[in-house]
Every structure is written in structure tokens, then in C-alpha cells.
Amino acid sequence: MNNLTIFSRVLLKYKLAISILCSVLLASCGRPSETQEQTTPAQTDTPIVRVDGPGLSEAYARLRHQQIAQVDYQLSVNLDNEGNNFSGTVHSDIRFNHPLKQPLTIDFSNGAVNSIQVDGKSIPFGYNGYFITIDHKYLAEKTHRITVNYQHPYSNNGSGLHRFKDPIDGKVYMYTDFEPYDANRLFPHFDQPNLKARYTLDVTAPDHWLVVSARREQRIEKKGQKNHWFFPQTKKFSSYIFSLHAGPYHTWEDEANGIPLRLLARQSLSKYVKTEDWFTFTKQSFEFFQPYFEIDYPFEKYDQILVPDFNAGAMENVGAVTFNDSYVSRGGKTQAQRMHLANVIAHELAHQWFGNLVTMNWWDDLWLNESFATYMANLALAENSEFDNAWENYYLGAKQWAYHSDQRPTTHAIQLPVSNTDEAFSNFDGITYGKGGSVLKQLPYYLGKEEFRQGVSNYLKALSYDNSTLSDFIKHLGKAAGKDLHSWQQQWLYQAGLNTIEASFQCDNNQISHLVIQQTAPEEYPILREQRTQLGFYQMVAGTMKRVATLPVLYSGARTEVQEAEGLPCPQGLYPNEEDWAYVKVNLDKVTIKNMVQHLNDIEEPFARLMFWQSLFDSTYDAKLPLDEYISFIVNSGADEQDINVIRLNARYIGFTYDFLTQIPLNTQRRNELTQAVERFSWDQLLRAAEGSDQQKIWFDVFTHIAHSTPALSSARELLMGEFAIEGLELDPDMRWKLIKLQNRYLFSDYEQAITRELAKDNSDRSKLNALSAEVIRPLEENKSKWVDNLISNRDKFKLSEIRRISESLFTAEQVELFNIHSQPIFDSLDQINEDNSQELLSAYAYALPLMCSRENIDKITKSLQEKQQLKPILVKALKNHRYSGERCINIGKRLL
């Protein structure tokens, strides 16, 4: 799955005492979960009573893995384009390891069970809305066929089997999304990754629909106004990557060296799909991965389906990957947007080997899936695509997500115990994706590139169609490199926290005479790590700050003497993580800070400028550099920057600084000076950008986020109405909605009529969601009361995609006083929201909390955490992260004052 956004929509429980102890003191705790995973199938199952509620525990999944030696499914599903439910029958052919000594449970959430048969005979059963229970006396033999006839509602929250009706043409589309524990919302089965199965599927659907799953159909039979689709048995894989998609999709076809490719999108969106990009990026990924892994693509075909209301970026279903159809732009894409699309395509294709062919045993090894796909996607782009700045893009995106997440109180070890599927859901975050990918990125520097590649290949070959644990992966890497990775594994995978390095040097006769790297660790996670980094040495040469030397260094412990640096030219700037080899935070020495700030625009290497600009923001976010000084740097030095990634970075942080400025306690005059300075700068950059350039689109987005003065709002409305034009800037429908939302955010001019006019032109689902955002964002007390009430009491009237828009738009940073009026009902409703079984809904609800830069609001969060001990992990994580952001904002404000 690709979930990456910046600082982000982290989908963001353990038994806290045990899990924190074992992640911090793992050397003495050991790895109990790994020894449990290796339990032999012959072991007698110890009675475990399954909790009567949603989700699946690791303990019960482990028991069931001991009970069941093999299972295959034969699934029949009946779909209709009307109605609220679908029906199905599943035959589960099971071979047990030994006679059962307790009931067997079958996962099936929120459906209806009509009948159950064992070997053709009807039996009594229990069903609590979460799982089916069959008494073990009906399962006395070693092999049985269990048949379940059932019904289930279509989903409207993007999980399970989701049904979507396109408002433009009324056509109905369906797709599935299961990770980590929603496959049981399609059919009753054993929904855990280490019970891999083969699937034989047949589907009855309207005759004008296409039906897609892991394999291409074997045949189609006509049945009145319906068609009956028959699919051959699949290879063996986990149920969370099984899929079923259906509807009147528009289809394009191609092939990648003999592998059949299809791209599917709903009819109303098909005219916007740039198929050349999709197929080109897909073929380039195939060209890279197959020789790299030394394994041909393991499945028979490869479909990519663009779907609406999707909760993530994409999902790696075997042979039928789903993508959020927001990747289809109704206007031109920037190069960064094209690169992001290429990255997501490569990420999901990498999963076909790492995740689908070889699958983690349980969700504690989720990082093996997601970290690897994150790293491999970027490697594929760097090695075999048109994007020659792929690693800069990685640094700007996934790496910053990781750094940001690793400094929060909710950080965690990359590898950690996961006691249930709720905890698994909360771990789709910047640590699992960004930090895990970054740790893998530094391994080739540590082991050697070819040694790393060979270890990965050997791992995939040895465990094809099987499940694996971390020890399997580390064993193959270490063997290929001839290194004992035990210490590395303990440092990097079982310990949380972000280290910091700083290089200091002395010079004689304009040459380095002494250089040392000092490493520190946060007090909460006092581990010092070993890794290879690269030092970059800079000097002014003919008016340009040039990199005059680089030096690879392996550092460890608190202090590393770098004798190899002696005799190198004395630098005017030294960057201790040149080209982003290492996963580490950087403190710059005083000489470097002084010279690099003075010569920021003279630095020749764009990647180096990018990293120095990031260091400036880090200093501000850490409350070391005053916010007004940072703004001054951007306004005075950022205007001349031409590198697109540096522009993207500065544009992003201008949005951050504006949000801080709206809440930091300042006198009105000073606040206006600073907010209008960033507003003017963004508008000037928009006007100055080359016609039709990516810079125009970037600064347009920034401007529509921070515009607030009457002149700026007037300019925005004139753009919308066509009364003013910026050469080369073509407003697509989504850009127009940004201008309309801005009007409503400040109740400017004819803001209500702007929504009505735009909906008359464009009645698509995207427009309806944008119109909803524009209404919710209005800063009127009665309006906020209405939408807070809808969010708390009437959320069953809205789809999840609508709830997410309501939450995101409810309180912007400058509307914190309106939030204060309504904060108590929101905090009080946490217990009620917590009862919902949808993890996606819980994460969406958390967006209703804005930036809260006051001690009063931070105390409200603390009180909720103290009083509401039963909150689910995703809500606990969201509250702690909001509190952390608020405390950071307070510290930034103190530094400014």
C-alpha cells in the first residue's frame, strides 16, 4: 500500500508497559513474537478464548496458524448495480494439523450468515457480527469442506467491497480494499497473512460490467441480463491482497515484454487519463525489477484500476492493483506530480515480489512490505526513468516524513510487537514507510550495493509463495555480504528515535588538521548507532560555492575521529550527510552556518542547497532560529532560486509558517507585517514564474492557502472570474475550487454564488466534495455548530470521503477561536466515536482538531488522554501528535517574542 503524504495523513496500543520496555530494552527482553511465530504446527493448541469484538489478536492468529495446515477457497459472489447488499457462497477446503480441542472461528465482519455446512451437512453455528464460531465436535477429521452462504452490505467507506455511483452519468463501480483486516468483509475466511490460500472465483454481475480479480477470466456465460464470470484458481497468497473489482470500466491494454497490462478507469474520468505515462512508468519498473530480483514477475497479468473514494494512495492486490483516481488530473501535471505517480506505480509493482510473493508472517513485520517497496520504488526511478533527481525527491518527501515522525512522542521502533489488527492499522505511518525505507537506503552503502541486491534476491527465491519473518530477511542479507548484522539489527530495527551528528574541524595552512563527528541521541532513546555517511566540503571558487571534495565515513559511538580528512582543503562549508546517504539529523557547525547562509544562492549543487534550506527550517521548527529571521531568509534569498525541489521545499514551509503566525501571540501590527510579507512573496513568485511552468502551479497552491488580505482575495476572485489572467496559468476545475474555497474561508464577495455557479458547470464527485469543503470552512459560528453536530451525531448520513472533507475543512489555523467555542463537544464525543469499528473513520475524525498553539488547548488534550484510557490506538496517536505540534508552536512563538 502507498500511503505517503508529507507530515501527513498518517493513518494513523500496545500493552504499553510491555511494548515500550521490549522496544527500548530488547537485548534483555529478546523477541518473544518471533519465537512464537516459529511454533511447530504439531504443537497442541492451547485453549484461547477469542475476545467477543472486532479485529483479530496476534495470539489468536498464532493459535489458528497452529490449527490449520492448508486452506483453499472457492468463492461465488452475486453483484447487482442496485440494492444495498451482495450475496455469496464460499467453500473452504481445510486440512488441519491435528484434531481441534476448541471451537474454530471464521472471520466475517458485519454481515449475515444464512447457513453453514460441513462436508455437505448443515450444522448449528454462532455468529456475533465479527466472526463465526463452529464447535470442534463438527470438525473431528483432518480434512473438511466448510460451506458458508452469506450476505453483506456494500461499503461506503472505501474498505471491504466499496460501491460508488458516479453522479455524472449514474454508472455504478465496485472495488475492494482489504489491508490489514477487511478481506473478511467480502467473504468469511481466515483473515490473517500467514494462512495463505489459493482462490477460485466466480461472479454474477450485470452484463455490461467488467469483472477483475487476481487472474484473467477463464470464460463468461450469459445469464439473462447478467453475465457469469469464471476465474481459474490462483497461486497461493494472503487474503488481504485478494481482490474483486466490477463495473463498466473503460479499459486500455498494453504489454510489458509479454506480460499483459491493462489500465482501467471509470467512464466519466477516462478522457483525462494520460495512458502514456501510466504504461511507460509501469514498463520501466518491470524492466528494473525483474533483473534486480532475478525472478520473473510471479503472476500471470498486471491490471491497474483507478477508483474513487479510495482511502490510501494505492493497494498492491495480486495482479489487480487499485489506485486512488485523484492521480488523474483534470489539468496538466507538474513534473513532481508525474514523478510521484511513477513512484507509486513502482511502489505497488515492487510489492508483487516483496509482500505478495513473499509475505510477512504477521503485522509486526509490516515494515518488510512497506519499507522495502518505498526504497525499491525510488531506486527504480533513480536507475531506470527520466527522473534524474529521484533521490532529491525522496529526501524532500519520504525522508522528511520519517524525520518528522521519529521526533514525535508517538515514534516507535521499525520492528515492534503488534498485538492486534487495530495496532497494525495505526502503524501505516512515517516510521514504517519513511524511516524503514531510509534504513534500507543506507544498507547498500554499509554492505555494498551488489551484496545487498544479492541478499534480497536470495531471500525472495528461498521464500517464494511463503511467509517470512525479520530473521529470514536479515539472514540472507548477512550471508550475501559476509557480515554479522545482529548489532545493526538491534540498533536500527528494535530501537526508536532519531540521532543527530555534527562535524567540527580545525585547519592549518588552509588544510584540515583535525576533524571529528560527534553523535548524540534523544534522552528518551539513548542509543548511538553506526552507519556510513558522506562528508561534503565546500569552498568559494570564482563566486560560486563549489563542492571541492567528498569523503565516505563510517561513524559510530559518541565521537569518531576522521583521520582520512587530514590534508583536505579547509572548507568554508561542511555538510556531514552529503547526498543524504545516512538516516540522521544534522547540526551544522558555526563556520558552515555563517558562510552558507551568506552564500545560499551561490551553492552550486542543487541537492546541497535543498539540504541547507531544510536545515534552516529545522532550526526554526526546533525553536533555535526565530521565525521572523527564517521568513526573512525566504523572502530575501528564495526569490532567485530556480531548482524546482528547493522551490517546492520553501513553498511548503511558507504554508507552515503562515499557520504558525495566525496563532502565535503577537501584536496586530507585527502579525500583519509577517503574514502579509509571506502573502506578497507568494503572489510575486506566482507572477514572476515562467509561463506554463511547474513553478506557477506550486506558487498558485501556496497563494490559495495563505491569501487573506482584501487585495489578495480580490486578485483571487478576479482570477476565478476571468477578469484577470496570469500568462500561462490555465485554471483546471480543481484549481478553480481552490479559489472558491478561499472565498468561502474569508466570506469574501459572492462566496455562496461561486459554489452554485461552479456546480452548474461541473457536477462530478470531486466538485461535490469541494463544494462541501467550501461550505464547511466558512468562519460562522452557526455554520461550525451545524457541521460539528453532523460530524458527531449525523455521520451515518455521509460517506467516509465526505466525513474526511468535513473534518479537514472544519477549523483552519486562523479559526482557532471558533474551535475553542466548539472544542468541548468534540473532546466529549471521543468516547462515542471510539465505539465505531472503522479505523478509517477514526483517523478521519482526528483531522477535526486544528493546530492548537495555546497551553489551554494542549491541557484539554492531556485531560482527554488521561480520562479516556480506552481510546483506540489511532485516536491516542492523533491526540498525542496534536499536542506535540501545539507545544512546538508555543516554543516557536517564545523564540519569536
Side-chain angles (χ1 to χ4, degrees):
M1 178 182 289
N2 189 295
N3 242 6
L4 177 63
T5 55
I6 306 304
F7 296 161
S8 178
R9 300 182 170 225
V10 174
L11 289 181
L12 338 109
K13 8 177 183 158
Y14 315 99
K15 307 243 193 224
L16 263 171
I18 294 176
S19 73
I20 291 175
L21 183 65
C22 287
S23 62
V24 174
L25 302 175
L26 194 80
S28 59
C29 279
R31 277 277 289 126
S33 64
E34 216 167 270
T35 57
Q36 291 162 354
E37 288 162 0
Q38 301 303 322
T39 306
T40 56
Q43 179 177 326
T44 302
D45 48 322
T46 303
I48 295 178
V49 178
R50 185 169 182 178
V51 176
D52 187 8
L56 179 68
S57 72
E58 188 270 344
Y60 190 81
R62 187 171 66 252
L63 167 72
R64 204 159 55 181
H65 187 239
Q66 294 167 15
Q67 294 174 328
I68 298 170
Q70 180 179 321
V71 60
D72 291 321
Y73 301 109
Q74 183 178 325
L75 173 62
S76 299
V77 180
N78 184 28
L79 303 177
D80 206 334
N81 58 358
E82 300 294 340
N84 299 317
N85 300 288
F86 63 94
S87 59
T89 300
V90 58
H91 305 284
S92 303
D93 294 310
I94 308 173
R95 178 166 59 85
F96 294 101
N97 280 308
H98 49 79
L100 300 186
K101 297 191 175 183
Q102 66 180 83
L104 179 73
T105 69
I106 302 173
D107 308 319
F108 186 51
S109 178
N110 298 321
V113 181
N114 299 327
S115 65
I116 293 182
Q117 296 180 328
V118 173
D119 302 325
K121 296 180 181 179
S122 295
I123 62 160
F125 61 90
Y127 181 55
N128 61 1
Y130 307 115
F131 53 84
I132 299 164
T133 302
I134 300 176
D135 195 299
H136 64 282
K137 70 182 180 182
Y138 299 108
L139 302 168
E141 305 300 323
K142 200 159 188 179
T143 62
H144 289 284
R145 166 170 275 208
I146 300 176
T147 301
V148 182
N149 185 275
Y150 68 93
Q151 287 184 311
H152 197 283
Y154 292 113
S155 164
N156 71 349
N157 69 356
S159 297
L161 180 57
H162 181 85
R163 180 183 184 273
F164 172 84
K165 187 172 184 178
D166 195 323
I168 291 180
D169 54 19
K171 297 184 186 299
V172 172
Y173 299 88
M174 297 177 185
Y175 63 86
T176 55
D177 187 42
F178 295 149
E179 193 177 24
Y181 185 69
D182 284 321
N184 66 86
R185 294 174 64 185
L186 176 66
F187 68 106
H189 72 287
F190 308 113
D191 194 355
Q192 60 190 74
N194 61 4
L195 286 177
K196 287 192 168 186
R198 295 172 296 182
Y199 308 84
T200 306
L201 173 68
D202 67 274
V203 179
T204 303
D207 58 8
H208 60 289
W209 282 14
L210 178 69
V211 179
V212 178
S213 189
R215 294 194 66 182
R216 287 278 182 95
E217 67 277 4
Q218 210 168 31
R219 69 183 191 279
I220 305 172
E221 296 179 358
K222 183 75 173 173
K223 289 180 64 175
Q225 292 187 330
K226 290 192 172 185
N227 284 339
H228 196 175
W229 296 66
F230 294 88
F231 297 84
Q233 189 178 62
T234 69
K235 294 178 179 178
K236 193 175 180 183
F237 54 81
S238 304
S239 63
Y240 79 91
I241 42 180
F242 180 68
S243 64
L244 169 59
H245 320 296
Y249 287 99
H250 189 97
T251 306
W252 301 267
E253 298 196 36
D254 207 326
E255 59 93 22
N257 198 24
I259 301 165
L261 306 178
R262 286 191 300 189
L263 180 65
L264 294 82
R266 50 188 163 122
Q267 298 289 341
S268 66
L269 205 61
S270 61
K271 62 183 177 182
Y272 300 109
V273 178
K274 297 175 176 60
T275 56
E276 182 178 354
D277 274 358
W278 283 87
F279 285 129
T280 297
F281 299 152
T282 303
K283 292 176 187 178
Q284 288 172 340
S285 298
F286 270 113
E287 289 169 2
F288 178 77
F289 288 139
Q290 293 192 111
Y292 188 93
F293 298 140
E294 296 181 355
I295 299 174
D296 288 341
Y297 173 66
F299 306 107
E300 290 82 3
K301 53 88 177 179
Y302 196 65
D303 295 332
Q304 297 175 105
I305 304 101
L306 303 168
V307 298
D309 289 346
F310 203 59
N311 290 323
M315 179 61 208
E316 66 268 18
N317 313 306
V318 167
V321 175
T322 40
F323 291 82
N324 192 316
D325 69 13
S326 65
Y327 288 121
V328 177
S329 173
R330 297 191 288 181
K333 280 185 179 292
T334 66
Q335 189 74 343
Q337 290 170 326
R338 293 182 66 247
M339 192 189 318
H340 182 57
L341 173 61
N343 190 296
V344 176
I345 288 171
H347 181 108
E348 303 309 322
L349 184 56
H351 271 311
Q352 301 298 313
W353 286 269
F354 221 104
N356 295 7
L357 178 64
V358 180
T359 313
M360 77 248 150
N361 189 68
W362 177 247
W363 298 106
D364 54 350
D365 282 315
L366 172 65
W367 82 276
L368 276 177
N369 279 11
E370 298 302 345
S371 302
F372 185 85
T374 298
Y375 168 67
M376 286 305 307
N378 286 279
L379 182 63
L381 261 62
E383 298 288 333
N384 193 49
S385 81
E386 67 189 77
F387 305 109
D388 56 6
N389 60 351
W391 287 124
E392 294 175 38
N393 189 69
Y394 180 82
Y395 173 81
L396 180 61
K399 199 70 173 284
Q400 297 312 314
W401 188 22
Y403 286 154
H404 190 72
S405 300
D406 213 7
Q407 296 175 84
R408 286 176 159 186
T410 54
T411 189
H412 54 82
I414 294 172
Q415 174 81 16
L416 77 171
V418 173
S419 63
N420 57 55
T421 49
D422 280 359
E423 289 182 11
F425 185 89
S426 70
N427 287 338
F428 286 84
D429 61 9
I431 301 301
T432 296
Y433 286 79
K435 184 176 181 179
S438 299
V439 166
L440 289 177
K441 180 179 182 288
Q442 49 110 324
L443 262 181
Y445 298 115
Y446 186 68
L447 302 178
K449 291 183 179 180
E450 176 55 24
E451 289 80 359
F452 176 80
R453 187 204 66 78
Q454 192 61 59
V456 168
S457 176
N458 293 344
Y459 165 81
L460 292 172
K461 290 173 183 175
L463 290 154
S464 291
Y465 303 103
D466 208 343
N467 293 91
S468 70
T469 64
L470 170 63
S471 61
D472 296 315
F473 182 61
I474 295 298
K475 176 183 70 176
H476 284 286
L477 287 185
K479 185 177 180 180
K483 285 191 177 183
D484 182 354
L485 292 177
H486 176 76
S487 177
W488 179 90
Q489 178 178 340
Q490 295 293 325
Q491 291 177 15
W492 286 102
L493 303 183
Y494 295 153
Q495 307 286 349
L498 175 64
N499 295 96
T500 300
I501 60 171
E502 181 174 340
S504 58
F505 59 90
Q506 297 172 359
C507 296
D508 290 324
N509 300 321
N510 205 32
Q511 291 183 330
I512 293 175
S513 58
H514 183 252
L515 193 151
V516 63
I517 295 176
Q518 293 176 305
Q519 180 182 193
T520 57
E523 184 177 345
E524 307 94 317
Y525 306 105
I527 182 76
L528 296 178
R529 297 178 167 94
E530 178 181 86
Q531 67 177 321
R532 188 172 294 277
T533 189
Q534 180 176 231
L535 307 182
F537 301 85
Y538 288 83
Q539 285 187 337
M540 285 296 292
V541 178
T544 299
M545 185 68 77
K546 288 184 176 292
R547 189 175 69 188
V548 294
T550 58
L551 180 65
V553 176
L554 181 68
Y555 73 85
S556 62
R559 183 181 177 88
T560 301
E561 300 279 349
V562 185
Q563 295 179 353
E564 301 89 340
E566 295 175 10
L568 290 175
C570 186
Q572 291 171 280
L574 170 58
Y575 200 83
N577 187 21
E578 186 73 9
E579 295 183 344
D580 191 35
W581 282 21
Y583 178 79
V584 69
K585 190 173 181 178
V586 168
N587 277 348
L588 300 176
D589 64 272
K590 292 181 179 179
V591 172
T592 298
I593 291 174
K594 177 183 176 182
N595 289 324
M596 288 304 197
V597 167
Q598 288 179 353
H599 299 286
L600 202 52
N601 290 325
D602 298 324
I603 301 172
E604 186 177 45
E605 293 285 337
F607 203 165
R609 291 202 306 278
L610 180 69
M611 298 180 85
F612 279 111
W613 273 110
Q614 179 64 49
S615 293
L616 283 174
F617 177 76
D618 289 342
S619 294
T620 305
Y621 197 60
D622 292 341
K624 296 176 181 177
L625 177 69
L627 184 61
D628 55 349
E629 289 187 31
Y630 175 70
I631 292 170
S632 178
F633 279 128
I634 288 188
V635 170
N636 294 322
S637 299
D640 296 326
E641 181 59 61
Q642 295 301 309
D643 181 74
I644 191 63
N645 279 331
V646 179
I647 291 171
R648 289 170 60 206
L649 180 141
N650 286 339
R652 173 202 297 169
Y653 292 139
I654 282 177
F656 273 51
T657 60
Y658 176 77
D659 289 346
F660 294 148
L661 288 170
T662 63
Q663 292 199 24
I664 288 173
L666 293 169
N667 66 62
T668 302
Q669 180 180 348
R670 183 62 172 147
R671 190 189 313 279
N672 288 341
E673 287 175 0
L674 292 171
T675 56
Q676 289 180 26
V678 294
E679 181 189 73
R680 282 194 304 271
F681 177 75
S682 301
W683 178 249
D684 289 344
Q685 292 303 101
L686 175 58
L687 296 178
R688 289 178 56 187
E691 295 179 17
S693 65
D694 289 358
Q695 288 94 319
Q696 273 192 329
K697 295 183 176 67
I698 290 168
W699 290 115
F700 174 85
D701 286 346
V702 176
F703 177 73
T704 55
H705 174 68
I706 69 174
H708 62 282
S709 69
T710 299
L713 295 172
S714 296
S715 296
R717 187 185 181 279
E718 288 169 2
L719 275 175
L720 177 66
M721 300 302 293
E723 297 166 3
F724 172 74
I726 299 174
E727 290 298 323
L729 184 69
E730 296 183 11
L731 299 181
D732 64 36
D734 298 316
M735 294 169 73
R736 293 179 59 81
W737 276 111
K738 289 178 181 178
L739 295 168
I740 294 168
K741 188 174 179 180
L742 180 63
Q743 274 189 264
N744 281 264
R745 183 173 174 177
Y746 292 99
L747 305 178
F748 186 78
S749 186
D750 57 344
Y751 58 91
E752 292 178 298
Q753 290 83 355
I755 294 176
T756 304
R757 285 195 301 265
E758 200 66 22
L759 283 175
K761 298 177 186 175
D762 175 14
N763 196 36
S764 67
D765 56 303
R766 289 191 190 181
S767 284
K768 289 187 173 183
L769 288 173
N770 281 319
L772 179 62
S773 293
E775 181 181 347
V776 173
I777 207 170
R778 293 171 186 163
L780 300 169
E781 185 174 342
E782 62 273 20
N783 184 58
K784 300 302 184 184
S785 296
K786 167 187 170 182
W787 288 107
V788 167
D789 186 59
N790 279 334
L791 194 61
I792 295 172
S793 304
N794 302 315
R795 61 184 182 277
D796 57 336
K797 298 178 182 179
F798 299 91
K799 297 194 300 181
L800 181 64
S801 58
E802 294 168 328
I803 290 174
R804 187 176 289 115
R805 287 301 186 100
I806 293 168
S807 296
E808 291 171 347
S809 306
L810 195 51
F811 298 106
T812 56
E814 78 280 358
Q815 295 176 359
V816 70
E817 292 304 321
L818 284 167
F819 170 75
N820 292 339
I821 295 171
H822 298 91
S823 63
Q824 201 56 52
I826 292 175
F827 283 115
D828 289 344
S829 69
L830 286 171
D831 287 323
Q832 173 195 339
I833 297 296
N834 194 58
E835 295 301 313
D836 200 289
N837 294 328
S838 169
Q839 295 292 311
E840 293 83 5
L841 176 87
L842 297 180
S843 64
Y845 187 80
Y847 295 136
L849 302 180
L851 176 67
M852 292 177 280
C853 190
S854 71
R855 181 54 54 188
E856 179 185 0
N857 278 327
I858 288 173
D859 289 344
K860 288 179 183 178
I861 296 176
T862 299
K863 183 180 179 182
S864 292
L865 287 168
Q866 291 171 344
E867 294 179 350
K868 303 177 188 300
Q869 295 291 314
Q870 301 305 313
L871 291 181
K872 292 176 181 175
I874 200 72
L875 287 177
V876 172
K877 189 170 188 175
L879 289 172
K880 287 182 176 180
N881 286 339
H882 273 292
R883 181 172 63 184
Y884 171 80
S885 297
E887 288 171 341
R888 283 275 182 159
C889 183
I890 289 174
N891 290 335
I892 291 170
K894 289 178 180 178
R895 189 71 176 87
L896 178 59
L897 299 173

